[in-house]
Amino acid sequence: MNILVILVPVSLVLAGLALFGFLWTLRHSQYEDLDGDAARILLDDEYDDHPKQD
C-alpha cells in the first residue's frame, strides 16, 4: 500500500502533462489541415526546393 503514495501522484503528474501537451497542440493549430498532411506524404519530391546531395 505504500507504493500507492508514489504511484498516484506520479500518474496524476503524467496525466497533467499529457493534458497540457494536448491543449498546447490545439492552441497552436496542429490539427487544422489533416487532409493536406495526409496527401502531402504521397506527393513526389520533384517540387522540393532543396536538391538532393549524393
Side-chain angles (χ1 to χ4, degrees):
M1 293 303 277
N2 290 336
I3 194 69
L4 291 178
V5 174
I6 296 170
L7 289 180
V8 170
V10 168
S11 65
L12 290 175
V13 168
L14 288 176
L17 287 173
L19 181 63
F20 173 77
F22 176 70
L23 293 175
W24 183 84
T25 59
L26 283 179
R27 290 178 193 252
H28 289 90
S29 304
Q30 297 290 317
Y31 303 112
E32 290 297 318
D33 187 21
L34 296 178
D35 293 331
D37 290 337
R40 195 174 305 124
I41 197 169
L42 300 174
L43 296 176
D44 290 334
D45 290 336
E46 65 186 55
Y47 299 110
D48 193 6
D49 293 337
H50 305 291
K52 293 183 180 180
Q53 300 202 0
D54 294 328

